[in-house]
Amino acid sequence: MKQSKINDFFSAIVNRHQELSRYAIIAAAVVLISAFFPKSGYFKYDYELGKPWKYENLIAPFNFGIQKNEEELKAEKELFLKDQAPYYRFDGDVSERRKEIFTELYKKSNTGFGQISDSVFHQRNDTAVNYFGALRLLNDIFSKGIIQLASEHREYSKDKNINLLLDDNRAERKKLSDFYTVQEAYEKLNKSIKQNNSLNQDFLMPILKNVISHNVFYDAELTKRFQQEALDEISLTRGMIQEGEMIISKGAIVTPAKIQVLNSFKNEYEKRVIGLKKSQVVFFGNILLVAIILIVFTFFLRIFSNDVFESVRKLLFIISLIVLMTLVLSKVVETDLPIIYAIPFCIIAIVLRTFFGARVAFHAHITLVLLSSFVVPQGVEFLFLQTIAGMVAIYTSIKAHYWSQFFLSNGFILLAYFSAYFAITIVQEGSFDNFNYANFGWLALNVLLTLLAYPLIPVFEKLFGFVSEITLLEYSDINKPLLKELSLKAPGSFNHSLQVANLAEAAASEVGANSMLVKIGALYHDIGKMYQPLYFIENQQGGINPHDDLEFDESATIIINHVKKGIERAKKEKLPDMLIDFIRTHHGTTRVEYFYRSFIKRFPDKEVAEGEFTYPGPLPYSKETAILMMADTVEAASRSLKNPSSEDIENLVDKLIQSKMDQDQFINSDITFKDITRIKKVLKKMLNSIYHVRIAYPE
């Protein structure tokens, strides 16, 4: 019993794996998108500069400081940094090294100096006097310090203060005038030697010129550290709002001063109130928001685009694009870079419009924009911009089958973005003076990136097995090898296909079906006839009919097999499934009526195997495949009419289509009685036109 229940459980899973897969895709998308959402709650008030406060009186629930705006803080920091004294430090090793260099140069310049022992330094002779006198002067110069000013300090006046680091813990405030420059040090040495009659100026100065060097250097790292510590102590607020104090009253205009108070309250509220809320609770709320939006979108697909909903592959593709774009947006928002306007949202609308039509593309785009509005800072503005641009992208790409039309479509998208952003800015700012023109540049980049949608379309076609209208258009070329072969091997069937394509295209346009798809499906629906073309009446010439030598059931088998052979050839040529479906369904489950009735007439007492005279199906499943069945039936039958009148054609069309309806051939297709009535009118009109031409201009 237990094992039986387990088997039943797994059997139920296997039988419903498609349905379970769809639910799993939606559930995974809900969790992933929720993870991209902010982990904190949202401030519940929305306000704009220059607009009235639309809520009740706002009373402060706690004390908070009024935060300084960015301009105030920037000006205060610049003024503070301007008054800050930079840090410099002595390098004691420099003076020692330079004195050693002086000694070496002195020895080389005084030929007798090198032959005297080191004890000469303790003697009172001219050589020693010159050496020690110059050494004392060097000590004095280096002790005071020769400063090397950093490039950013070269404009400082002599009265400018600096901090001279004496050791790791002490610094002394000095003026720049307390130090020498290299030139000043050289002049000081020259003057001191000149005043001392015991020193040889001409001998010493060339040597000392090569010895003078900086020994006080800028310490950028220490300066930056102390400046940052001081900047961190600058107060970020000015003034306080006390608990119970009125922040803003209902209907009051949000002035620059008020918006600063409101921004301060918002920041403090998010820290104190929203920040205390558990992230798990917020995540649960995010899941509910995302689930509501995606469930509504799923209901739309199930009701209005059930073929998309039923296909796991198509559903996965659409949901994946939505999740991917939401991820990209959330990562861009986290960077705080001003490039949110450059994200090409319209790519999704264009790609989905190409594969699934305008209705699916529009609802998917709205779903994406609604989800994204919870991530971006200015949700209402973003919602308006992207909705308008997406609608324009969908509407202008409907007939975009050539590159020139692609660029024209993108031009309309750019115009929509610019116009919408221009209007929003005027409403928000109340003037023409405060435009952020950089955003126009980001929007232009957005439209440029949107062009990537068109090379992405063939990539998605290969990965997911979809077929775009551009690809369909390629199959409409009658010089394609398969159609060329049909025209050579079965010219009558080829001409029949062309006529059916024209009839089906006109009928599809009348009822809002995909006219391009049904036209191309009609071109390929009879390719199976090229294998035994003479067994089909439109290819027979000279009154020779090979069916005369066959039994009725054998003839029926040959006629029926053109569907099977057509499917095999289409698969071999890698035709898209949506075109192969026209081959499968164009006869539905109807009978090869002529041979069936002939068999009954000749063998009235013999039991007939009706299946041998019946096409295997399946039934037409869409408006397009149903239209092809009607057009194919009436075009083929109309060829048997000899000089038909308008009444003959109308009766023929009514009779044949009613016969298909009586045989339940359209029960699986989403076609209405109203559609069928309109299709019959188009077919009658087209056939009248065709036969009028034949009567007026006999062959």
Side-chain angles (χ1 to χ4, degrees), residues 22-23 298 301-302 305-312 315:
R22 292 194 293 271
Y23 295 145
T298 305
L301 291 178
R302 186 161 193 167
S305 295
N306 194 53
D307 60 316
V308 176
F309 176 77
E310 292 291 337
S311 170
V312 173
L315 184 63

Side-chain angles (χ1 to χ4, degrees), residues 106-118 120 127:
Y106 191 89
K107 287 181 179 181
K108 290 179 181 178
S109 300
N110 191 333
T111 54
F113 188 77
Q115 300 173 359
I116 301 175
S117 65
D118 290 342
V120 74
T127 300

Side-chain angles (χ1 to χ4, degrees), residues 584-618:
R584 291 190 181 101
T585 62
H586 74 279
H587 285 294
T589 57
T590 58
R591 290 194 299 258
V592 185
E593 205 66 34
Y594 174 79
F595 294 111
Y596 175 74
R597 294 188 181 279
S598 297
F599 183 91
I600 293 176
K601 185 177 180 180
R602 179 175 295 184
F603 307 105
D605 299 326
K606 189 175 182 179
E607 184 178 353
V608 59
E610 190 170 336
E612 295 181 2
F613 296 89
T614 304
Y615 287 98

Side-chain angles (χ1 to χ4, degrees), residues 397-456:
S397 64
I398 287 177
K399 298 297 183 182
H401 301 146
Y402 305 98
W403 276 108
S404 59
Q405 292 173 315
F406 292 151
F407 286 109
L408 183 62
S409 175
N410 274 46
F412 282 118
I413 296 172
L414 181 65
L415 180 62
Y417 269 130
F418 279 9
S419 302
Y421 182 75
F422 183 82
I424 288 175
T425 305
I426 290 176
V427 171
Q428 290 179 340
E429 303 295 339
S431 71
F432 296 92
D433 303 326
N434 299 319
F435 279 95
N436 186 350
Y437 291 100
N439 286 339
F440 285 103
W442 292 120
L443 290 171
L445 178 60
N446 177 331
V447 175
L448 188 63
L449 292 174
T450 301
L451 284 172
L452 291 174
Y454 305 113
L456 281 174

Side-chain angles (χ1 to χ4, degrees), residues 289-337:
L289 285 173
V290 177
I292 290 169
I293 295 172
L294 288 184
I295 288 172
V296 170
F297 177 61
T298 305
F299 275 135
F300 157 76
L301 291 178
R302 186 161 193 167
I303 296 170
F304 297 103
S305 295
N306 194 53
D307 60 316
V308 176
F309 176 77
E310 292 291 337
S311 170
V312 173
R313 175 170 51 92
K314 293 177 181 178
L315 184 63
L316 176 63
F317 176 70
I318 296 173
I319 297 299
S320 297
L321 289 182
I322 293 174
V323 171
L324 179 62
M325 189 59 78
T326 309
L327 170 63
V328 170
L329 179 65
S330 64
K331 294 303 179 184
V332 169
V333 171
E334 287 177 4
T335 63
D336 289 329
L337 296 174

Side-chain angles (χ1 to χ4, degrees), residues 45-58:
Y45 300 108
D46 186 23
Y47 52 90
E48 295 180 26
L49 181 64
K51 298 295 182 63
W53 180 256
K54 54 189 176 183
Y55 307 99
E56 297 297 326
N57 296 345
L58 182 60

